[in-house]
Structure formats: C-alpha cells, structure tokens
Amino acid sequence: MIAFTVRRLFQTIPVVLGVTLVTFLLTQILPGDLADVLLGPTATEEARRQLRAAMGLDRSLVVQYGTYMWHLLHGDLGQSLVFAQPVGAVLANRLANTAVLAVAAIVISSVGGIAIGTWVALKPGSLRDHSLSTSVLFLNAMPPFWLGLILILVFGLELRWLPTSGMTSAIDGGGALDLAAHMVLPTLTLAAWSMAVITRMTRSALLDVIDGDFIRTARSRGLGEARIILRHALPNALPPIITVIGLQAGFLLSGAVLTETVFSWPGIGLALYQGIAARDLPFIQGGILLLALIFVVINFAVDALYAYVNPKIELQ
Amino acid sequence: MNLLEVRNLSVAYGDVAVVRDVSFTLAAGRSLGIVGESGSGKTQTMLAVLRLLARGGRVTSGSVLFEGRDLLTLSPGEMRQVRGRGLAFVPQDALSALNPAMTVGAQMAEPLIFNEGMGEEAALARCTELLGQVGIPGAAARLAAYPHQLSGGMRQRVLIAMAIAAHPKLLIADEPTTALDVTIQDQILRLLDRLRRELDMALVLISHDLGVVAGVADRVSIMYAGRIVESASAAEVFGRPAHPYARALMAAKPRLDRPAGALQPIAGLPPDPAHPLQGCAFHPRCAFAIERCGADTPPLEAVAADHLAACWRAREQLAAATTASMRVADAEQPAGEIVVEDLSVRFPIRSGILRRATGTVRAVEGVSFAIPMGKTVALVGESGSGKTTTGRALLGLAPMSNGRVSYFGRDVAAIRQDMPRLGQMVFQDPYGSLNPRMTVGATLAEVVSVHGLVPRGQIGRKVDSLLDSVGLRPAMARRHPHELSGGQRQRVAIARALAIEPRFIVCDEVVSALDVSIQGQIINLLMELQRTRGLTYLFISHDLAMVRHIAHHVVVMYGGKVMEAGPRDRLFAEPRHPYTHALLGAVPVPDPEVERKRTRPEVRGETPDPADPPPGCRFHRSCRHADERCRREEPLPEAVAAGHTVACHRWQELAQGLNHA
C-alpha cells in the first residue's frame, strides 16, 4: 500500500504543474490585462505601454510563466487590488473560515448520506425507499443558492431562530456558540446537495453488494443481520461511495462561492466573488490556484483511502 | 427419524415456478446427490431449505422438516440458530462467496466469536485446526491472507472449513467443484466424503455432473424443469436408470471407461421456466414420448423397490435398455501439417514506479508438436498449464519469444496477413465473444463483408448458409446474443469462425460453459464439420472424456511444458507419464461401482507458479515417483513408440507399475 501511495503521489506532480499553467494562462485568456485594470478606461496608450513594460507584461509568454513560477515557488502570489494586501495573506486569513464550513458540510453529508442510503437499501421498493428516494431527488435538483435563500427566508426572517449573516472569523470571532449559530444555515445549504448524491450512491452500491454470494455465505453461517450489513456489505460498497465523496469536495469548493455570498460568510468563496466582480486578476489567479490544489490533495487522499478499503489494489 | 424431510416444496420467483412439488428425505449421516442441468431447480430447492432464496424468491407451498421442526415457520432469529450449527452451506464459485475485503481468518472466526461465544484466541486456534482438517498447511499464513491471494482449490477448502466450524449435522454443497481443475476436483470430493464420515454429517451434493455425484452419494435424485424425475440409490440410478432423461443424460456424457464414438446428445433445449409445458416437461425432447406425456404430468412413483421415477413409461423403460450407437465415417485426408517447434512464450512482470520488468512469466517453454491437416490434436492440461497461450501463439495472437510455427512449411510470421483465412479461434464464453448489440446476422455479415468473400448482394444468402451449416434456422439471424441459449451462441461463434472458410480452428474450451446435454451437440457438430469440410482442429480442453471423443492425437501439458504426447488410443490406454496417469485417474466416472473401485493416483499440491518454475521436472513437486534426479535435471522427451513421446526420467521403470497401481 505504501508503494501505491508513493506512486500516486508522483502522479500528482504533472497535475499540479498543469494547474499552474492554466491559472497563468487565465490572465492571457481574459480580455484586457493587468495594466488595463490598474489604469482604468481613461488612461492613455502611452501610460499603458509604460506600465506593461514595468510589469514585464510585454515579454514572451514563456518568460512570463517562468517569472510567475519563480514567484510562486517563493510563496509570492502577487498583490491583491481589492483587498490592498498580498494575495497569499488574504487567502490564508480566510481559509479557516471556508474550511470550517466545508469540513462540517462534508461530515454531515457523508454521515447522513451513508446512514440514510443504508437504511433505504435494506428495504428496496418499500414505501420508505420510495418516499426518501423522491425527497433526495428533490434536494438534488435544488440549486444551493436558492436553497440558501429559502432557509434565510424561513429560519432567519420569519422564525428569527438563526442569524443569516454577520459572521466575523472562525478563529478569533465571537466564540464557539456564536460560530455554531452562524454555521447552521450555510452548512445545511452546502451539505444538502452532496448528501443527496451520497445517499443515492450508497443505496445503489449497497444494493449491488447485498445480493452477492459472500453475503449469502455470511447468512448461511448464522451471522446476525446488523453484523452482515455493517461488517460485510458496507465495507465492500465503500469504494464507489468514497469516490463520490471525493468528487463532492470539488462541488463544495464551487458551492462555497455561492453559499458564502448568500450568507456573507467571510471565506475564500466570498472573497473570490468580490475579486471577480472587481476584475482583481492576481487574486482570481491565486484563489483558483488554491482551490485547484485543494482539489488535487483531496483526490489523492481519496485514492489512498481506496487502497486501504480494497485490499486487491495493493497488488496492482 | 429422518434428519431432513422435504414435503411438496414449491418455489417461485414472481410468477415463474422454479421448483415444483419436490419431496425427499435424508437420514442422519447419509449422502444425497442432486443432479440436474442449469435451471433444473436443484440449487433453488436447497436454498429454499436454508431459507436463503435470492430477492424475489418465495416458497409457495410445502414444508421443510429438519430434526422434526418445520424450518419454514421459524422466526428469523430461530433460523439463525439453525444455520451453521444444524445446516451448513458450501457455495459454488469460491471467489465471490468469500468477502474480498476481509482476511480469511477474520471471516472464519466471526461466527465462532459472535455465535459460539469463543474468545478471540480460542477462535483462531479452532480456525487453525479447521484448516488442518481440510488439508491446508501453514494455517497461520493463510489466516492472514485475503481470499484473492489463495488458489481456487484453497478457497474452496476454506469454504468447507467455514461450513464445518460449528459441527453441523447436514452439509449442503452446491457445485463445490465446478470451477476447479480435475485433479483439484478429485481432492475436494475426497475431502467432502472423508469429512462426512469422520464428523458423522449428512451431505447433500448438488452437481450438474453425474460423475461427481457417483462416487460420493448414497442416493441420487435427478431434477428436470423444477421436478425430481428420478430418485433411487446411486447403484440403481446409474445401473438401471428408469427415466428417459436420466438415460439420455448418461448417453450424452462421454466416459473414459467406455469406447469412444459419436456422442448421443439430447435433442432440443431445456424448457424455459417462464413458459411451462403441459404434461411431462421432458416430452418434446423424449424419444419415447406418447400422447399422454403431452397431456398429463406423470407423478413421482415407485417403479421398482426403493426406486422412484416420474414417467408414464418408466416400467417399460426399465425392462428394455440398449441404445443404438453411431460411428462417424472417416474424412478424406487433406495433405500437409501445422508444425510447432520449440515454442516459448514469456511475458515480463512489471512492477515498481518505473514499470521495469522484474521477472518473467514462462507461460510456454519449448513446446513442439505437429497437427496433420484434417485431424484433431487435443491440448490437455489444467489451468496454468499454458495450453490456451499455445493455442493463441499458433494463430500469431501471443508473442513468441522463441521457436517457430509453420503452416505447410511457411512460417507464421511471413503469412501474417493471410492468418485469418488460415486459422480461426472459437472461445469458451460465447456470450463474451459476441457483440451484444449486434444481431447474429449482422455479426456474420460483418465478417463476410470485411473479407470481401462474396458479392455484396449475396451476403444475406451466405449468412443463411452459414447458419444452416451449424444447424441454426435462418430466422436466428434477427436475434441478439442474449436471446439465444448457450449452445446456440456457441453455434453462432462457430459459424463466425467458419465464415471466412479457414482450414484450421483453435477451439478453446468450447463446451466447458455449456450444459451436459448441449455439450454433445456441439462436439458432434465439430466432428461433422471436420468430416464434411476437412477442417483441422486444435482442441484445447481440461475435459479428458470429451477429448477422447474428438481428438486423434493428444498433447498433455503441465506448467508450460509438454509432459506426454501421442495417438489418442495409446495415450488413454497406456499413459507413460505419472501426470497423465494421475489426470486420467482423477476424472470421475458416472457409475458408482466403477467409482468406488477406482484407484486414484492422487496429485499433491497445485500447479507450479509460472513466474518461478521449479528446477528439474516441472511436475516433481506433485509427483509420487519423483526422486533426486527429477528435482535436479529436466527430463527431455523420449520416444515410447511411434508418435508417442514422454518427458519423464523414470518412465521405463514405472511402465509396469503405473498401469497396475
């Protein structure tokens, strides 16, 4: 398993390089460059040319990419225009806030999804199965920002049970209770869609396994039903479920942009939204690079977990 | 009192009845063989007894008394108490029947800890003891292994060990040897028989193979279309079969202890359970059917003392026996031969991050033989013997590391483009080798048009004639593979191979996936095609009885090497190599008399690892006669008689002993 993990680690290197290339090219693909953004529409052509020369934007693409990578390797992501701070510092500041939300969402959606999916799979075709599967489909079809708005309307504005915004910081904000109260609605918004997907995958993966021969063997030996499900069926159904959970991580990152915007949650997503609105190229570049790297790391973790769950992978 | 008494049991999936009105009894410590083809209901009957029917299946009537209690009325909790301790189950297909994500030890120990209340250490000690009991050495290492790290025979032993863990009174074994090589099958059958006697268990052995049941069962029940059609002591069923189906089944199965000739397959197909027939389900295929057979279902009743049969004409049948035998006329001999010289096929094993070759699998090593045109050479061996790789190499489909294959003096490498027209291959699994989205007609038409064999307008007629040559109606051209039976699919696969009119066909285990009654039909078709078209076959098979029917010459392979080769009759009558001898001895014969008296030269252990072949003779680790020289020095093929060669240091000393041992 160690050999597999190491090999998989090496395979992430070209992916990371690819990601940096794409984020670099982003500034080239978007209309207008940094000089246009900085100087605004009224600047003279001469002023633009001078600024470009000063920032090295008139050099060849290869040289520019080299410079970009050189800075990147020194931890320099550039200066954000909107936040008037180094991009790295802004991202570091806000990472914790997003992480709190994303981790809570992934835990809730995984635990809830696997539990509901298992419960439903025990009686396929029953009333329980049909009613829950339909509601899950409904959740699945709801865009997160819309669900967020509905939650704000009901629990924030009508019932006034929970705060809908005003979150400051997860680390040095208003303490655990304040954090929890602020977290409930955005976490639910973020978790709902993923939980629906995980529920559906758990149900179908478990149904595939549960008619298997080794389940029949376990029954023929007089083992209890709970043990058969938890110890025999579920571990064998896990690989596709883990894959889906890994994919949800990607969704949560993009979902964070929408959810954080709706709830004014001071995380990376909200910052990225503000950056995009202001055409803050260095910040967009840095934010996307960070999100992409997180995605790569999560996928690597999923593959490593896969090898742990499935002993056969070791051999390959 | 009977240990198990099944009364009028019927099982259905949805509206489809798969078991109909089945009754039988089994006394403590005795053994019952249930024989039938796929879909006969044999497995479903016993799954109903265990209350382990698949989703959608239910018992529609009847009762199952085990030690006087009706199992069908027990609560799930009470049933769990009976499973494992009263009734134990050995499933078929040992790979899928074990949990792939748990070690063998963890799976074995589970019920001991949670049902029997043993401590973890006591349970592991018991597992070690059980593995010893089923003949698995080095238990500690095996307990830590995952199922995929064990061989097929070893996995089946583990399942048996698991089944006997809680001292059951009845062991139900469902096709426990189906996926195994013949020498391993023999080991497993002997193990089951020994355990039954030692542990005083009753045994129900479910099998499609009459031979497997003959040596182990006291009583035999034969099932067809969900019903028991015949039931008696093993000696009676095999000696004086009363039901025409039982008779036909025995005639369809080639036997090593009878002269070879054309097989007598059962015409037609087994009935579809979704469309039950009126009257006796066998009547459309029965040579003895009378009007009444199509109208009323015959009851299972006594036709002689302790001999039950469900046939209106069973009593007459029992009186008159004899079946006519046919012989196939010899074909006209085309000239030339296909020669294999010193063929070796090696595959690199790649591992590590850089995928470097770290070892070599020696699939085939220094194999030589010749196939005269118009004849059949059989390549016999167990899995891992290199027989399939050899067959592929002959068609240029496997990389040759060494050696030469020539067709009529021309090297195979030089005639690569012509290869499809010279040689074709038919595979074991006709379902996997036919495109499921193409109709039979489209599949055949594709081959015909790609090779431009006939003008475009005549493709349809060519397809019809191809279907006709393999005994299928032209209407079959519109069907998809899933609408065909296994035998029909194999016929289509043969028709596809014939489409470009090759002179040579490699048949790779072409009948092993088919029901017994269908196997004979396909073998007879192949022999008929050889007679009418002068085809040459390389017939790859593990089934020696089948080989004896079709082959002119036999090549026996083991661990990638040829052990012995010779004309069929010589090789079967006077095998010189200890491996050939053991292989022949391991084939069960569907006759309890012969089966009980048969001396079986047991093969120890399993096929050598082709990545790490033993020094000296490849077979020495499993050979009873191996001495120091066999361990050191590799034997070269020596001529025993014209065309008969053997690779064994000791064949001359052993010549006397082997055939009388």
Side-chain angles (χ1 to χ4, degrees), chain A residues 209-237:
Chain A
V209 169
I210 219 157
D211 286 329
D213 287 351
F214 63 92
I215 297 295
R216 194 175 65 187
T217 310
R219 288 212 173 99
S220 79
R221 304 172 69 211
L223 290 176
E225 207 56 20
R227 204 174 162 75
I228 286 172
I229 298 299
L230 295 179
R231 191 71 184 83
H232 290 264
L234 207 49
N236 280 288

Side-chain angles (χ1 to χ4, degrees), chain B residues 274-299:
Chain B
H275 301 98
L277 296 164
Q278 205 182 351
C280 171
F282 189 60
H283 84 264
R285 305 174 78 187
C286 183
F288 305 94
I290 51 175
E291 211 170 304
R292 190 179 183 187
C293 301
D296 307 319
T297 308

Side-chain angles (χ1 to χ4, degrees), chain A residues 6-7 124 207 210-211 213-214 216-217 219-225 227 231-232 236 309 311-312 315, chain B residues 47 52 55 80 83-84 89 91 96-102 107-108 110-111 114-115 146 148 159 162 353:
Chain A
V6 171
R7 192 160 70 234
L207 281 180
I210 219 157
D211 286 329
D213 287 351
F214 63 92
R216 194 175 65 187
T217 310
R219 288 212 173 99
S220 79
R221 304 172 69 211
L223 290 176
E225 207 56 20
R227 204 174 162 75
R231 191 71 184 83
H232 290 264
N236 280 288
V309 171
K312 276 194 209 173
L315 290 180
Chain B
L47 287 181
L52 289 176
R55 194 185 301 284
R80 270 205 290 282
R83 288 188 196 135
F89 181 57
S96 65
L98 288 165
N99 187 337
M102 278 170 91
Q107 297 186 56
M108 284 189 76
E110 220 179 1
F114 294 94
N115 295 359
Y146 285 96
H148 68 272
L159 279 169
M162 284 165 74
I353 293 159

Side-chain angles (χ1 to χ4, degrees), chain A residues 46-293:
Chain A
E46 176 58 21
R48 286 175 208 266
R49 204 185 51 74
Q50 278 176 0
L51 186 60
R52 280 194 187 112
M55 292 196 302
L57 294 178
D58 53 354
R59 306 259 196 87
S60 77
L61 271 187
V62 179
V63 173
Q64 286 192 50
Y65 180 59
T67 323
Y68 172 69
M69 284 304 288
W70 181 252
H71 288 152
L72 210 57
L73 288 172
H74 290 82
D76 180 8
L77 291 171
Q79 192 75 15
S80 163
L81 310 178
V82 175
F83 302 100
Q85 282 177 47
V87 171
V90 180
L91 289 174
N93 247 332
R94 299 188 162 223
L95 184 61
N97 290 344
T98 297
V100 164
L101 208 57
V103 168
I106 203 88
V107 167
I108 289 175
S109 59
S110 305
V111 172
I114 291 177
I116 299 175
T118 305
W119 192 56
V120 164
L122 293 182
K123 284 208 173 149
S126 63
L127 182 66
R128 173 211 290 182
D129 182 22
H130 285 307
S131 53
L132 269 171
S133 295
T134 314
S135 354
V136 158
L137 202 65
F138 193 63
L139 267 190
N140 220 180
M142 245 190 288
F145 64 87
W146 187 77
L147 178 66
L149 291 175
I150 295 292
L151 288 178
I152 288 176
L153 269 177
V154 176
F155 294 99
L157 302 181
E158 278 302 313
L159 299 170
R160 298 191 170 275
W161 285 355
L162 292 163
T164 59
S165 61
M167 170 67 188
T168 50
S169 168
I171 295 166
D172 46 6
L177 257 180
D178 179 61
L179 176 64
H182 278 99
M183 265 177 72
V184 175
L185 293 185
T187 308
L188 281 182
T189 307
L190 205 48
W193 194 83
S194 299
M195 189 165 87
V197 175
I198 294 169
T199 303
R200 288 171 62 180
M201 180 48 84
T202 304
R203 178 182 179 275
S204 69
L206 209 55
L207 281 180
D208 277 347
V209 169
I210 219 157
D211 286 329
D213 287 351
F214 63 92
I215 297 295
R216 194 175 65 187
T217 310
R219 288 212 173 99
S220 79
R221 304 172 69 211
L223 290 176
E225 207 56 20
R227 204 174 162 75
I228 286 172
I229 298 299
L230 295 179
R231 191 71 184 83
H232 290 264
L234 207 49
N236 280 288
L238 271 184
I241 301 174
I242 290 176
T243 307
V244 157
I245 292 177
L247 292 175
Q248 292 318 301
F251 165 78
L252 286 183
L253 296 176
S254 64
V257 177
L258 299 171
T259 310
E260 288 179 5
T261 307
V262 171
F263 289 96
S264 314
W265 186 271
I268 291 175
L270 182 60
L272 208 52
Y273 172 75
Q274 291 164 341
I276 291 167
R279 290 188 59 194
D280 183 350
L281 282 178
F283 189 76
I284 298 172
Q285 224 176 10
I288 288 177
L289 181 65
L290 178 68
L291 294 187
L293 286 180

Side-chain angles (χ1 to χ4, degrees), chain B residues 224-297:
Chain B
Y224 187 80
R227 288 179 198 276
I228 293 182
V229 294
E230 180 151 1
S231 183
S233 70
E236 276 279 306
V237 167
F238 288 99
R240 299 201 303 155
H243 198 283
Y245 175 64
R247 251 159 216 259
L249 211 50
M250 285 177 214
K253 167 107 182 144
R255 285 174 59 160
L256 279 182
D257 62 335
R258 294 274 171 81
L263 297 172
Q264 295 165 19
I266 306 175
L269 296 172
D272 177 0
H275 301 98
L277 296 164
Q278 205 182 351
C280 171
F282 189 60
H283 84 264
R285 305 174 78 187
C286 183
F288 305 94
I290 51 175
E291 211 170 304
R292 190 179 183 187
C293 301
D296 307 319
T297 308

